Amino acid sequence: MDLRFLLSASAPAAIGSALGQAQSALGAAVAQRNAAQRRWRDALLGDDLAETISARAALGAAAVDVDRAEAVVERLTGRLSGVPL
C-alpha cells in the first residue's frame, strides 16, 4: 500500500478504503502481538534462556508493528474527519 498516494488523495472513498485496510492490518498486528506475548509467557515458565530471549525479541518487534499500524489508522481517521495531517 503506497501511503503517500493514499494520504494525499482527497477522495473520501479512497481514504475510507485505505482506512479499512489499515484497520485490518492493525487487527493482524494485534493478533501477532498477543501470540508473541503468550510465547514469551510460556518461555518464562521454561528453563531455556535462548527461547526466552527469542520470544522477548519477537514480542518487541510485534509491539512496534502494532504501534505503526495504530499510527496509520490514526492518520487516516484524522484525514477523514478533516483534521490537518
Side-chain angles (χ1 to χ4, degrees), residues 5-85:
F5 166 74
L6 294 174
L7 292 176
S8 68
S10 60
I15 297 170
S17 174
L19 178 59
Q21 291 176 355
Q23 288 171 328
S24 293
L26 175 58
V30 168
Q32 281 188 317
R33 184 199 58 201
N34 292 344
Q37 249 176 343
R38 285 188 298 276
R39 178 180 165 216
W40 182 55
R41 186 186 60 233
D42 293 346
L44 286 173
L45 297 174
D47 60 356
D48 185 352
L49 180 59
E51 173 59 20
T52 302
I53 293 169
S54 174
R56 181 60 185 103
L59 177 56
V64 168
D65 290 344
V66 169
D67 289 344
R68 287 181 180 157
E70 285 176 338
V72 171
V73 168
E74 288 173 10
R75 288 195 74 180
L76 289 170
T77 301
R79 182 72 176 194
L80 275 176
S81 66
V83 175
L85 301 174

